[in-house]
Amino acid sequence: MYDNEKGDIKLVTFNNYRTLLDNELHLILGGNSQNISRNLIALRKQNNYSRCEIADKLNVSVSTIARYEEGNRIPDIDMIINMCKLFDVKIEKLVNDNNH
């Protein structure tokens, strides 16, 4: 990116990069959080975790986990990475339609 007509290179901060990744994730999902919702529930149950246990491990409230599982909220990229680490899965396992 360039900063004005002087041609100075503008540094992209980490927060700008995170925002870009979050926006890309929302575009990839097309605003549809059903894949993450379904996969999060399946991974939680496969690992015999309650919503409360997942919330504690991810340092969020139980209601946040409930919103993710109900498809009312899409986790940001940092949360998705943390979920993948917790369940020891690749991002694709969490965000893709794994029913096919």
Side-chain angles (χ1 to χ4, degrees):
M1 297 177 106
Y2 290 99
D3 185 26
N4 63 38
E5 56 275 340
K6 290 190 291 185
D8 296 332
I9 295 177
K10 182 178 180 181
L11 295 177
V12 178
T13 65
F14 178 72
N15 285 338
N16 288 344
Y17 187 66
R18 262 192 49 222
T19 300
L20 180 66
L21 287 174
D22 286 338
N23 290 340
E24 288 296 318
L25 178 64
H26 287 272
L27 286 174
I28 290 167
L29 295 173
N32 182 352
S33 61
Q34 293 306 309
N35 290 344
I36 291 177
S37 174
R38 237 187 334 264
N39 296 336
L40 177 58
I41 292 168
L43 288 166
R44 179 174 60 79
K45 289 181 177 180
Q46 286 171 10
N47 287 277
N48 296 312
Y49 288 135
S50 67
R51 281 183 175 175
C52 186
E53 289 172 312
I54 295 292
D56 285 344
K57 290 177 183 299
L58 296 173
N59 294 318
V60 296
S61 67
V62 175
S63 64
T64 297
I65 298 300
R67 284 190 287 256
Y68 293 153
E69 288 189 352
E70 293 163 0
N72 296 326
R73 183 173 178 183
I74 298 174
D76 66 17
I77 192 68
D78 291 328
M79 180 58 63
I80 288 176
I81 291 168
N82 289 335
M83 288 176 179
C84 290
K85 287 178 182 177
L86 174 65
F87 296 119
D88 193 28
V89 296
K90 293 184 179 184
I91 289 177
E92 294 84 359
K93 177 78 172 172
L94 189 61
V95 300
N96 287 345
D97 183 359
N98 295 317
N99 289 332
H100 301 292

